[in-house]
Amino acid sequence: MVAVDCVAGDSDGLAAADQIEEIIVKAGWRSGGIRIESFMHNPVGLSLIVGKSVDPSAGVLQYAFGQAGIPLKGVEDDSVQGSEVEIMVGSRP
């Protein structure tokens, strides 16, 4: 499952998250939907977030986005459960 997270109040980020989620679904991935979140320090740019149990297909997803000219910075986060993958749409740099 791939969830797409974006920063609350960032309309550009939400629009990008909508487009990314649509791409994920059209490519046959199971979507976890879009989650709008608040942060003490807003993330910047795009990241692919995985937990300790990294699903090998996360690398395929990261590679595919990279080939499309959309690099995703890889981040490990212990709060990500199982084989779930998150794409964080942060604020523009």
Coordinates of all heavy atoms in Angstrom, one line a residue:
M1 N 0.8 -1.2 0.0 CA 0.0 0.0 0.0 C 0.9 1.2 0.0 O 1.9 1.3 0.7 CB -0.9 0.0 1.2 CG -1.7 1.3 1.3 SD -2.8 1.4 2.8 CE -1.6 1.6 4.0
V2 N 0.5 2.2 -0.8 CA 1.2 3.5 -0.9 C 0.3 4.6 -0.4 O -0.8 4.8 -1.0 CB 1.7 3.8 -2.3 CG1 2.5 5.1 -2.4 CG2 2.6 2.6 -2.8
A3 N 0.7 5.3 0.7 CA -0.1 6.5 1.1 C 0.7 7.7 0.7 O 1.9 7.7 0.6 CB -0.2 6.4 2.6
V4 N -0.1 8.8 0.4 CA 0.6 10.0 0.0 C 0.2 11.1 1.1 O -0.9 11.3 1.4 CB 0.0 10.5 -1.4 CG1 0.7 11.8 -1.8 CG2 0.3 9.4 -2.4
D5 N 1.3 11.6 1.7 CA 1.1 12.6 2.7 C 1.4 14.0 2.2 O 2.3 14.1 1.3 CB 2.0 12.3 3.9 CG 1.8 11.0 4.5 OD1 0.7 10.4 4.4 OD2 2.7 10.4 5.2
C6 N 0.7 15.0 2.7 CA 1.1 16.4 2.3 C 0.8 17.3 3.5 O 0.2 16.9 4.5 CB 0.3 16.9 1.1 SG -1.5 17.0 1.3
V7 N 1.4 18.5 3.4 CA 1.4 19.5 4.5 C 0.0 20.2 4.5 O -0.4 20.7 3.5 CB 2.5 20.5 4.3 CG1 2.5 21.5 5.4 CG2 3.9 19.7 4.3
A8 N -0.6 20.3 5.7 CA -1.9 21.0 5.9 C -1.7 22.5 5.5 O -0.7 23.1 5.8 CB -2.3 20.9 7.3
G9 N -2.6 23.0 4.7 CA -2.6 24.4 4.3 C -1.7 24.7 3.1 O -1.7 25.8 2.6
D10 N -1.1 23.6 2.5 CA -0.3 23.8 1.3 C -1.1 23.4 0.1 O -1.1 22.2 -0.3 CB 1.0 23.0 1.4 CG 2.0 23.2 0.2 OD1 1.6 23.8 -0.8 OD2 3.1 22.7 0.3
S11 N -1.8 24.3 -0.6 CA -2.6 23.9 -1.7 C -1.9 23.4 -2.9 O -2.3 22.4 -3.6 CB -3.5 25.1 -2.2 OG -2.7 26.2 -2.6
D12 N -0.7 23.9 -3.1 CA 0.2 23.3 -4.2 C 0.6 21.9 -3.9 O 0.6 21.0 -4.7 CB 1.4 24.1 -4.4 CG 1.2 25.5 -5.1 OD1 0.1 25.6 -5.7 OD2 2.0 26.4 -5.0
G13 N 0.9 21.6 -2.6 CA 1.3 20.3 -2.2 C 0.1 19.3 -2.3 O 0.3 18.2 -2.7
L14 N -1.1 19.8 -1.9 CA -2.3 18.9 -2.1 C -2.6 18.6 -3.5 O -2.9 17.5 -3.8 CB -3.5 19.6 -1.4 CG -4.8 18.8 -1.5 CD1 -4.7 17.5 -0.9 CD2 -5.9 19.6 -0.9
A15 N -2.4 19.6 -4.4 CA -2.6 19.3 -5.8 C -1.6 18.3 -6.3 O -2.0 17.4 -7.1 CB -2.5 20.6 -6.6
A16 N -0.3 18.4 -5.9 CA 0.7 17.4 -6.3 C 0.4 16.1 -5.7 O 0.5 15.0 -6.4 CB 2.1 17.9 -5.9
A17 N -0.1 16.0 -4.5 CA -0.4 14.7 -3.9 C -1.6 14.1 -4.6 O -1.6 12.8 -4.8 CB -0.8 15.0 -2.4
D18 N -2.6 14.8 -5.0 CA -3.7 14.3 -5.8 C -3.1 13.6 -7.1 O -3.6 12.5 -7.5 CB -4.7 15.4 -6.2 CG -5.6 15.8 -5.1 OD1 -5.9 14.9 -4.2 OD2 -6.1 16.9 -5.1
Q19 N -2.2 14.3 -7.8 CA -1.7 13.8 -9.1 C -0.9 12.5 -8.8 O -1.0 11.6 -9.6 CB -0.8 14.9 -9.7 CG -1.6 16.0 -10.3 CD -0.7 17.1 -10.8 OE1 0.5 17.2 -10.6 NE2 -1.4 18.0 -11.6
I20 N -0.1 12.6 -7.8 CA 0.8 11.4 -7.4 C -0.1 10.2 -7.1 O 0.1 9.1 -7.5 CB 1.8 11.7 -6.3 CG1 2.8 12.7 -6.8 CG2 2.4 10.4 -5.7 CD1 3.7 13.2 -5.8
E21 N -1.2 10.4 -6.3 CA -2.1 9.3 -5.9 C -2.8 8.8 -7.1 O -2.9 7.6 -7.3 CB -3.1 9.9 -4.9 CG -3.7 8.7 -4.1 CD -5.2 8.5 -4.4 OE1 -5.7 9.3 -5.2 OE2 -5.7 7.5 -4.0
E22 N -3.1 9.6 -8.1 CA -3.8 9.2 -9.3 C -2.8 8.3 -10.1 O -3.2 7.3 -10.7 CB -4.2 10.4 -10.1 CG -5.0 10.0 -11.4 CD -5.4 11.2 -12.2 OE1 -5.7 12.3 -11.6 OE2 -5.5 11.1 -13.4
I23 N -1.6 8.7 -10.2 CA -0.5 7.9 -10.9 C -0.4 6.6 -10.3 O -0.3 5.5 -11.0 CB 0.8 8.7 -11.0 CG1 0.7 9.9 -11.9 CG2 1.9 7.8 -11.4 CD1 1.8 10.9 -11.7
I24 N -0.3 6.5 -9.0 CA -0.1 5.3 -8.2 C -1.3 4.3 -8.5 O -1.0 3.1 -8.8 CB 0.0 5.6 -6.7 CG1 1.3 6.2 -6.4 CG2 -0.2 4.3 -5.9 CD1 1.4 6.8 -5.0
V25 N -2.5 4.8 -8.5 CA -3.7 3.9 -8.7 C -3.6 3.5 -10.2 O -3.9 2.3 -10.4 CB -5.0 4.7 -8.4 CG1 -6.2 3.9 -8.9 CG2 -5.0 5.0 -6.9
K26 N -3.4 4.3 -11.1 CA -3.4 4.0 -12.6 C -2.3 2.9 -12.8 O -2.4 2.1 -13.7 CB -3.2 5.2 -13.5 CG -4.4 6.0 -13.6 CD -4.3 7.1 -14.6 CE -5.6 7.9 -14.7 NZ -5.4 9.0 -15.6
A27 N -1.2 3.0 -12.1 CA -0.1 2.0 -12.2 C -0.4 0.7 -11.6 O 0.4 -0.2 -11.6 CB 1.2 2.6 -11.7
G28 N -1.5 0.6 -10.9 CA -1.9 -0.7 -10.3 C -1.5 -0.9 -8.8 O -1.7 -2.0 -8.3
W29 N -1.0 0.1 -8.2 CA -0.6 0.0 -6.8 C -1.9 0.3 -6.0 O -2.8 1.0 -6.4 CB 0.4 1.1 -6.4 CG 1.7 0.9 -7.1 CD1 2.1 1.2 -8.4 CD2 2.9 0.5 -6.5 NE1 3.4 0.9 -8.6 CE2 3.9 0.4 -7.5 CE3 3.2 0.0 -5.2 CZ2 5.2 0.0 -7.2 CZ3 4.5 -0.4 -4.9 CH2 5.5 -0.4 -5.9
R30 N -1.9 -0.3 -4.8 CA -3.0 -0.1 -3.8 C -2.7 1.2 -3.1 O -1.6 1.4 -2.5 CB -3.1 -1.3 -2.9 CG -4.4 -1.3 -2.1 CD -4.5 -2.5 -1.2 NE -3.5 -2.2 -0.1 CZ -3.5 -2.8 1.0 NH1 -4.3 -3.8 1.2 NH2 -2.6 -2.5 1.9
S31 N -3.7 2.1 -3.1 CA -3.5 3.4 -2.5 C -4.0 3.4 -1.1 O -5.0 2.8 -0.8 CB -4.2 4.5 -3.3 OG -4.2 5.7 -2.6
G32 N -3.2 4.1 -0.2 CA -3.7 4.3 1.2 C -4.3 5.7 1.3 O -4.7 6.2 2.4
G33 N -4.6 6.3 0.1 CA -5.2 7.6 0.1 C -4.2 8.8 0.4 O -3.0 8.6 0.5
I34 N -4.8 10.0 0.5 CA -4.0 11.1 0.8 C -4.3 11.5 2.2 O -5.4 11.6 2.7 CB -4.4 12.3 -0.2 CG1 -4.1 11.9 -1.6 CG2 -3.7 13.6 0.2 CD1 -4.6 12.9 -2.6
R35 N -3.2 11.8 2.9 CA -3.3 12.2 4.3 C -2.7 13.6 4.5 O -1.6 13.8 4.1 CB -2.5 11.2 5.2 CG -3.1 9.8 5.0 CD -2.4 8.8 6.0 NE -1.0 8.7 5.8 CZ -0.3 7.6 6.1 NH1 -0.9 6.6 6.6 NH2 1.0 7.6 5.9
I36 N -3.5 14.5 5.0 CA -3.1 15.9 5.2 C -2.7 16.0 6.6 O -3.4 15.7 7.5 CB -4.2 16.8 4.8 CG1 -4.7 16.7 3.4 CG2 -3.8 18.3 5.1 CD1 -5.9 17.4 3.0
E37 N -1.4 16.4 6.8 CA -0.8 16.4 8.2 C -0.2 17.7 8.5 O 0.2 18.5 7.6 CB 0.2 15.3 8.3 CG -0.4 13.9 7.9 CD 0.6 12.8 8.2 OE1 1.4 12.9 9.1 OE2 0.5 11.8 7.6
S38 N -0.2 18.0 9.8 CA 0.5 19.2 10.3 C 1.8 18.8 11.0 O 2.0 17.7 11.5 CB -0.4 19.8 11.4 OG -1.6 20.3 10.8
F39 N 2.8 19.6 10.8 CA 4.2 19.3 11.3 C 4.7 20.5 12.1 O 4.4 21.7 11.8 CB 5.1 19.1 10.1 CG 4.7 17.9 9.3 CD1 3.9 18.1 8.2 CD2 5.2 16.6 9.6 CE1 3.5 17.0 7.4 CE2 4.8 15.6 8.8 CZ 3.9 15.8 7.7
M40 N 5.6 20.3 13.1 CA 6.2 21.4 13.8 C 7.2 22.1 12.8 O 7.3 23.3 12.8 CB 7.0 20.8 15.0 CG 6.1 20.4 16.1 SD 7.0 19.9 17.5 CE 7.6 21.5 18.1
H41 N 7.9 21.3 12.0 CA 8.8 21.8 10.9 C 8.4 21.1 9.6 O 8.6 19.9 9.5 CB 10.2 21.5 11.2 CG 10.7 22.0 12.6 ND1 11.0 23.3 12.8 CD2 10.9 21.4 13.8 CE1 11.3 23.5 14.0 NE2 11.3 22.4 14.6
N42 N 7.8 21.9 8.7 CA 7.3 21.3 7.5 C 8.4 20.7 6.7 O 9.5 21.2 6.5 CB 6.6 22.4 6.6 CG 5.3 22.8 7.2 OD1 4.7 22.1 8.0 ND2 4.8 23.9 6.7
P43 N 8.2 19.4 6.2 CA 9.1 18.8 5.3 C 9.2 19.6 4.0 O 8.3 20.3 3.6 CB 8.5 17.4 5.1 CG 7.1 17.5 5.4 CD 7.0 18.6 6.4
V44 N 10.3 19.4 3.3 CA 10.6 20.1 2.0 C 10.9 19.1 1.0 O 11.6 18.1 1.2 CB 11.7 21.1 2.1 CG1 12.1 21.7 0.8 CG2 11.4 22.2 3.2
G45 N 10.3 19.2 -0.2 CA 10.5 18.3 -1.3 C 9.7 17.0 -1.2 O 8.8 16.9 -0.5
L46 N 10.2 16.1 -2.0 CA 9.5 14.8 -2.1 C 10.3 13.7 -1.5 O 11.5 13.6 -1.7 CB 9.2 14.4 -3.6 CG 8.3 15.3 -4.3 CD1 8.3 15.0 -5.8 CD2 6.9 15.3 -3.8
S47 N 9.7 12.8 -0.7 CA 10.4 11.7 0.0 C 9.6 10.4 -0.1 O 8.4 10.4 -0.2 CB 10.6 12.0 1.4 OG 11.4 13.2 1.6
L48 N 10.3 9.3 -0.2 CA 9.7 8.0 -0.1 C 10.1 7.5 1.3 O 11.3 7.3 1.6 CB 10.3 7.1 -1.2 CG 9.8 5.7 -1.2 CD1 8.4 5.7 -1.8 CD2 10.7 4.8 -2.0
I49 N 9.1 7.2 2.1 CA 9.3 6.8 3.5 C 8.9 5.4 3.6 O 7.8 4.9 3.3 CB 8.5 7.7 4.4 CG1 8.8 9.2 4.1 CG2 8.8 7.4 5.9 CD1 7.9 10.2 4.8
V50 N 9.8 4.6 4.2 CA 9.6 3.2 4.5 C 10.0 2.8 5.9 O 10.7 3.6 6.6 CB 10.4 2.3 3.5 CG1 10.0 2.5 2.1 CG2 11.9 2.5 3.7
G51 N 9.5 1.7 6.4 CA 9.8 1.3 7.7 C 11.0 0.3 7.7 O 11.6 0.1 6.7
K52 N 11.2 -0.4 8.8 CA 12.3 -1.4 8.9 C 12.0 -2.6 8.0 O 12.9 -3.2 7.5 CB 12.5 -1.8 10.3 CG 13.1 -0.7 11.1 CD 13.6 -1.3 12.4 CE 14.2 -0.2 13.3 NZ 15.7 0.0 13.1
S53 N 10.7 -3.0 7.8 CA 10.4 -4.1 6.9 C 10.1 -3.6 5.5 O 9.0 -3.5 5.0 CB 9.1 -4.8 7.4 OG 9.3 -5.2 8.8
V54 N 11.2 -3.2 4.8 CA 11.0 -2.5 3.5 C 10.6 -3.5 2.5 O 11.2 -4.6 2.3 CB 12.4 -1.9 3.1 CG1 12.2 -1.2 1.7 CG2 12.9 -0.9 4.1
D55 N 9.5 -3.2 1.8 CA 9.0 -4.0 0.7 C 9.9 -3.7 -0.5 O 10.1 -2.6 -0.8 CB 7.6 -3.6 0.4 CG 6.9 -4.5 -0.7 OD1 7.6 -4.9 -1.6 OD2 5.7 -4.7 -0.6
P56 N 10.5 -4.8 -1.1 CA 11.4 -4.6 -2.2 C 10.8 -3.7 -3.4 O 11.5 -3.0 -4.1 CB 11.7 -6.0 -2.7 CG 11.4 -6.8 -1.6 CD 10.3 -6.2 -0.8
S57 N 9.4 -3.7 -3.5 CA 8.8 -3.0 -4.5 C 8.9 -1.5 -4.3 O 8.7 -0.7 -5.2 CB 7.3 -3.4 -4.7 OG 6.6 -3.1 -3.5
A58 N 9.3 -1.1 -3.0 CA 9.5 0.4 -2.8 C 10.6 0.9 -3.6 O 10.5 2.0 -4.1 CB 9.7 0.6 -1.3
G59 N 11.6 0.1 -3.8 CA 12.7 0.5 -4.7 C 12.3 0.7 -6.1 O 12.8 1.6 -6.8
V60 N 11.4 -0.2 -6.6 CA 10.8 -0.1 -7.9 C 10.1 1.2 -8.1 O 10.2 1.9 -9.1 CB 9.9 -1.3 -8.3 CG1 9.2 -1.1 -9.6 CG2 10.7 -2.6 -8.2
L61 N 9.3 1.6 -7.1 CA 8.5 2.8 -7.1 C 9.4 4.0 -7.1 O 9.3 4.9 -7.9 CB 7.6 2.9 -5.8 CG 6.7 4.0 -5.7 CD1 5.7 4.0 -6.9 CD2 6.0 4.0 -4.4
Q62 N 10.5 4.0 -6.3 CA 11.4 5.1 -6.3 C 12.2 5.2 -7.6 O 12.3 6.3 -8.1 CB 12.5 4.9 -5.1 CG 13.4 6.0 -4.9 CD 14.3 5.8 -3.8 OE1 14.7 4.6 -3.4 NE2 14.8 6.9 -3.1
Y63 N 12.5 4.1 -8.2 CA 13.2 4.1 -9.5 C 12.3 4.7 -10.6 O 12.7 5.5 -11.4 CB 13.7 2.7 -9.9 CG 14.3 2.6 -11.2 CD1 15.6 3.0 -11.4 CD2 13.6 2.1 -12.3 CE1 16.2 2.9 -12.6 CE2 14.2 2.0 -13.6 CZ 15.5 2.4 -13.7 OH 16.1 2.4 -15.0
A64 N 11.0 4.2 -10.6 CA 10.1 4.7 -11.6 C 9.9 6.2 -11.6 O 9.8 6.9 -12.6 CB 8.7 3.9 -11.5
F65 N 9.7 6.7 -10.4 CA 9.5 8.2 -10.3 C 10.8 8.9 -10.7 O 10.7 9.9 -11.4 CB 9.2 8.5 -8.8 CG 7.7 8.6 -8.6 CD1 7.0 7.4 -8.2 CD2 7.0 9.7 -8.7 CE1 5.7 7.4 -8.0 CE2 5.6 9.7 -8.4 CZ 4.9 8.5 -8.1
G66 N 12.0 8.3 -10.4 CA 13.2 8.9 -10.8 C 13.4 9.0 -12.3 O 13.8 9.9 -12.9
Q67 N 12.9 7.9 -13.0 CA 13.0 7.8 -14.4 C 12.1 8.8 -15.1 O 12.3 9.3 -16.2 CB 12.7 6.4 -14.9 CG 13.8 5.4 -14.6 CD 15.1 5.7 -15.3 OE1 15.1 5.8 -16.5 NE2 16.1 6.0 -14.5
A68 N 11.0 9.2 -14.3 CA 10.1 10.2 -14.8 C 10.5 11.6 -14.5 O 9.8 12.6 -14.7 CB 8.7 9.9 -14.3
G69 N 11.7 11.7 -13.9 CA 12.2 13.0 -13.6 C 11.7 13.6 -12.2 O 11.8 14.8 -12.0
I70 N 11.2 12.7 -11.4 CA 10.7 13.1 -10.1 C 11.5 12.3 -9.0 O 11.1 11.2 -8.6 CB 9.2 12.8 -10.0 CG1 8.4 13.4 -11.1 CG2 8.7 13.3 -8.6 CD1 7.0 13.0 -11.3
P71 N 12.6 12.8 -8.6 CA 13.4 12.0 -7.6 C 12.7 12.0 -6.3 O 12.2 13.1 -5.8 CB 14.8 12.8 -7.6 CG 14.4 14.2 -8.1 CD 13.3 14.0 -9.0
L72 N 12.7 10.9 -5.6 CA 12.2 10.7 -4.3 C 13.3 10.4 -3.3 O 14.0 9.3 -3.5 CB 11.1 9.6 -4.2 CG 9.9 9.7 -5.1 CD1 9.0 8.5 -5.0 CD2 9.1 10.9 -4.7
K73 N 13.6 11.2 -2.4 CA 14.6 11.0 -1.4 C 14.1 9.8 -0.5 O 13.0 9.9 0.1 CB 14.9 12.2 -0.5 CG 15.9 12.1 0.6 CD 16.1 13.4 1.3 CE 14.9 13.8 2.0 NZ 15.0 14.9 2.9
G74 N 15.0 8.8 -0.3 CA 14.6 7.7 0.6 C 14.8 8.0 2.1 O 15.8 8.6 2.5
V75 N 13.8 7.7 2.9 CA 13.8 7.9 4.3 C 13.3 6.7 5.0 O 12.3 6.1 4.7 CB 13.0 9.2 4.7 CG1 12.9 9.4 6.2 CG2 13.4 10.4 4.0
E76 N 14.0 6.3 6.1 CA 13.5 5.2 6.9 C 12.9 5.8 8.2 O 13.5 6.7 8.8 CB 14.6 4.2 7.3 CG 14.1 3.0 8.1 CD 15.2 2.0 8.4 OE1 15.9 1.6 7.5 OE2 15.4 1.7 9.6
D77 N 11.7 5.3 8.5 CA 10.9 5.8 9.7 C 10.3 4.6 10.4 O 9.5 3.9 9.8 CB 9.9 6.8 9.2 CG 9.1 7.5 10.4 OD1 9.0 6.9 11.5 OD2 8.6 8.6 10.1
D78 N 10.7 4.4 11.7 CA 10.2 3.3 12.4 C 8.7 3.3 12.6 O 8.1 2.3 12.9 CB 10.9 3.2 13.8 CG 12.3 2.9 13.7 OD1 12.8 2.4 12.7 OD2 13.0 3.2 14.7
S79 N 8.0 4.4 12.4 CA 6.6 4.5 12.6 C 5.8 3.9 11.4 O 4.6 3.7 11.6 CB 6.1 5.9 12.9 OG 6.2 6.7 11.8
V80 N 6.5 3.7 10.3 CA 5.8 3.1 9.1 C 5.7 1.6 9.4 O 6.7 1.0 9.6 CB 6.6 3.4 7.9 CG1 5.9 2.8 6.7 CG2 6.6 4.9 7.6
Q81 N 4.5 1.1 9.3 CA 4.2 -0.3 9.6 C 4.3 -1.2 8.4 O 3.9 -0.9 7.3 CB 2.8 -0.4 10.2 CG 2.6 0.4 11.5 CD 3.5 0.0 12.6 OE1 3.6 -1.2 12.9 NE2 4.2 0.9 13.2
G82 N 4.9 -2.4 8.7 CA 4.9 -3.5 7.7 C 5.5 -3.0 6.4 O 6.6 -2.4 6.3
S83 N 4.8 -3.4 5.3 CA 5.3 -3.1 4.0 C 4.7 -1.8 3.4 O 4.8 -1.5 2.3 CB 5.1 -4.2 3.0 OG 3.7 -4.5 2.9
E84 N 4.1 -1.0 4.3 CA 3.5 0.2 3.9 C 4.6 1.2 3.4 O 5.7 1.2 3.9 CB 2.7 0.9 5.0 CG 2.1 2.2 4.6 CD 1.3 2.9 5.7 OE1 0.6 2.1 6.5 OE2 1.4 4.1 5.9
V85 N 4.3 2.0 2.4 CA 5.2 3.0 1.8 C 4.4 4.3 1.8 O 3.3 4.3 1.5 CB 5.6 2.6 0.4 CG1 6.4 3.7 -0.3 CG2 6.3 1.2 0.3
E86 N 5.1 5.3 2.2 CA 4.6 6.7 2.1 C 5.4 7.6 1.2 O 6.6 7.5 1.2 CB 4.6 7.3 3.5 CG 3.8 6.6 4.6 CD 3.9 7.2 6.0 OE1 4.5 8.3 6.1 OE2 3.5 6.5 6.9
I87 N 4.6 8.4 0.4 CA 5.3 9.4 -0.3 C 4.9 10.7 0.3 O 3.7 11.1 0.4 CB 4.9 9.4 -1.8 CG1 5.3 8.1 -2.5 CG2 5.4 10.6 -2.5 CD1 4.9 8.0 -3.9
M88 N 5.9 11.4 0.8 CA 5.7 12.7 1.5 C 5.9 13.8 0.4 O 6.9 14.0 -0.2 CB 6.7 12.9 2.6 CG 6.7 14.3 3.2 SD 5.1 14.9 3.7 CE 4.8 13.8 5.1
V89 N 4.8 14.7 0.3 CA 4.9 15.8 -0.6 C 5.1 17.0 0.3 O 4.1 17.5 1.0 CB 3.6 16.0 -1.4 CG1 3.7 17.2 -2.3 CG2 3.3 14.7 -2.3
G90 N 6.3 17.4 0.5 CA 6.6 18.6 1.3 C 6.5 19.9 0.6 O 6.1 19.9 -0.6
S91 N 6.8 21.0 1.3 CA 6.7 22.3 0.7 C 7.7 22.4 -0.4 O 8.8 21.7 -0.4 CB 6.9 23.3 1.8 OG 6.0 23.2 2.8
R92 N 7.5 23.4 -1.2 CA 8.5 23.6 -2.3 C 9.8 24.1 -1.7 O 9.8 24.9 -0.7 CB 8.0 24.6 -3.3 CG 7.0 24.1 -4.2 CD 6.6 25.2 -5.2 NE 5.5 24.7 -6.0 CZ 5.3 24.9 -7.3 NH1 6.1 25.8 -7.9 NH2 4.3 24.4 -7.9
P93 N 11.0 23.7 -2.2 CA 12.2 24.2 -1.7 C 12.4 25.7 -1.9 O 11.8 26.3 -2.7 CB 13.3 23.4 -2.4 CG 12.6 22.4 -3.2 CD 11.1 22.7 -3.2

